[in-house]
Amino acid sequence: MIAPFAGFGLGLRKPHYAEFLETKIAVDFVEVISENFMVEGGRPRRILREVRERHPVALHGVSMSLGSADGLDGAYLARLCALVDEIEPLFVSDHLSWSRIQGFNSHDLLPLPYTEEALDVVADNVARAQDVLGRAMLVENPSTYIDFETSQMSEWDFLDRLCARTGCGLLLDVNNVFVSASNHGFDPLAYLDGLPHKRVRQIHLAGHSQGAELLIDTHDQPVPDPVWTLYESACRRFGHVATMIERDDDIPPLAELMAELDIARARSAVRSQAA
């Protein structure tokens, strides 16, 4: 079981490296994109080591391809394992998605049909990753833009069963729940209720954009009011869970993200009323 950790953090992005290295930033942890630091040596790895001396670090991957029917890439896992051994992160996470087939990487988080066959594939891949890493990992719910007619269960049922089979935890992206619920017409509160509450170990908060017909998970906007409201509902259900703000494009000054993080601290106060 992954140990609980309650705190508030930010995604560490290149425009803010200097501030994190040269000043004291009031965060409980930072999260980095694993693949940006998986090459040994060089400036990125050195910077991450220096940041790790100041703050706990969570590693968040985008290329493990947990839904790949080809299985996981052994070389990728070896590089990730070396990074994990060096950084000793709070969490190691990746997405409920796939991106690789027959050696080709799409560099996108592609959706899965929620079928028994897909569950077998993802469970086998998560189990292998956990064996190699020597720890339980977190799996993040995706934002999706299509439904599969072949799906046999809801996304939250799929995640519940995945946790039961593998012992993994969950990284709950509240914005992704809101985006997918809006795009597919399901109740986001039913989604939260359907998750195994004790498995949620981390929460992501982010913004999105309106596309021609669907909401798009762009991570280039502040967290909007409906996502804050859904976050409060998540806090009531899951209690003390590590929470962070994700911003990957149109990145503002660090002070603006710190102000958003203060909003998260205030909004999370509802969790004290959960009992």
Side-chain angles (χ1 to χ4, degrees):
M1 179 67 74
I2 301 166
F5 177 88
F8 296 86
L10 294 176
L12 179 66
R13 300 298 182 257
K14 191 172 182 179
H16 304 142
Y17 284 176
E19 288 173 275
F20 272 94
L21 292 173
E22 298 169 5
T23 63
K24 186 175 182 179
I25 307 299
V27 295
D28 299 308
F29 71 102
V30 299
E31 183 185 87
V32 301
I33 303 300
S34 304
E35 289 81 3
N36 291 343
F37 300 90
M38 281 170 56
V39 176
E40 294 188 21
R43 184 169 180 267
R45 194 75 157 243
R46 175 178 59 79
I47 289 172
L48 183 58
R49 286 197 301 269
E50 292 181 16
V51 171
R52 177 65 181 86
E53 292 174 0
R54 295 167 174 253
H55 304 284
V57 171
L59 298 178
H60 184 52
V62 295
S63 298
M64 191 177 287
S65 195
L66 288 172
S68 175
D70 295 340
L72 302 184
D73 182 333
Y76 174 95
L77 284 179
R79 293 194 302 273
L80 177 59
C81 190
L83 180 62
V84 168
D85 290 344
E86 181 176 343
I87 300 302
E88 297 181 343
L90 276 173
F91 310 118
V92 179
S93 61
D94 211 297
H95 299 78
L96 181 64
S97 65
W98 66 281
S99 56
R100 182 176 47 80
I101 183 169
Q102 297 178 351
F104 172 77
N105 194 328
S106 71
H107 298 289
D108 205 352
L109 303 173
L110 302 173
L112 297 165
Y114 297 128
T115 63
E116 297 290 344
E117 182 180 14
L119 180 60
D120 288 341
V121 167
V122 177
D124 287 347
N125 287 339
V126 169
R128 184 186 174 204
Q130 293 182 149
D131 285 345
V132 171
L133 297 173
R135 61 161 63 206
M137 63 180 296
L138 304 182
V139 177
E140 179 182 349
N141 58 292
S143 55
T144 57
Y145 311 100
I146 61 171
D147 281 325
F148 290 89
E149 291 184 356
T150 55
S151 287
Q152 300 165 328
M153 65 193 87
S154 67
E155 184 173 288
W156 51 94
D157 286 336
F158 191 98
L159 288 167
D160 182 30
R161 293 178 62 184
L162 179 66
C163 289
R165 285 181 56 168
T166 66
C168 72
L170 295 178
L171 194 173
L172 173 63
D173 191 311
V174 174
N175 182 62
N176 286 357
V177 173
F178 182 82
V179 166
S180 294
S182 298
N183 290 345
H184 304 308
F186 63 76
D187 181 357
L189 297 181
Y191 190 113
L192 298 183
D193 286 337
L195 295 176
H197 289 193
K198 293 183 179 180
R199 295 289 183 175
V200 176
R201 285 290 176 261
Q202 187 182 353
I203 287 176
H204 275 179
L205 295 168
H208 53 262
S209 299
Q210 178 65 58
E213 297 180 357
L214 302 173
L215 295 185
I216 309 297
D217 178 36
T218 50
H219 291 188
D220 62 356
Q221 303 287 329
V223 180
D225 285 341
V227 174
W228 283 125
T229 299
L230 189 59
Y231 173 58
E232 290 182 357
S233 296
C235 288
R236 293 188 189 97
R237 287 161 172 79
F238 307 122
H240 293 268
V241 175
T243 296
M244 62 154 287
I245 304 289
E246 271 193 305
R247 192 68 171 263
D248 294 315
D249 201 2
D250 196 16
I251 298 174
L254 184 58
E256 292 186 23
L257 293 177
M258 293 298 293
E260 265 197 301
L261 202 58
D262 284 340
I263 297 173
R265 290 185 177 99
R267 295 275 189 156
S268 73
V270 299
R271 68 190 175 194
S272 65
Q273 305 167 14

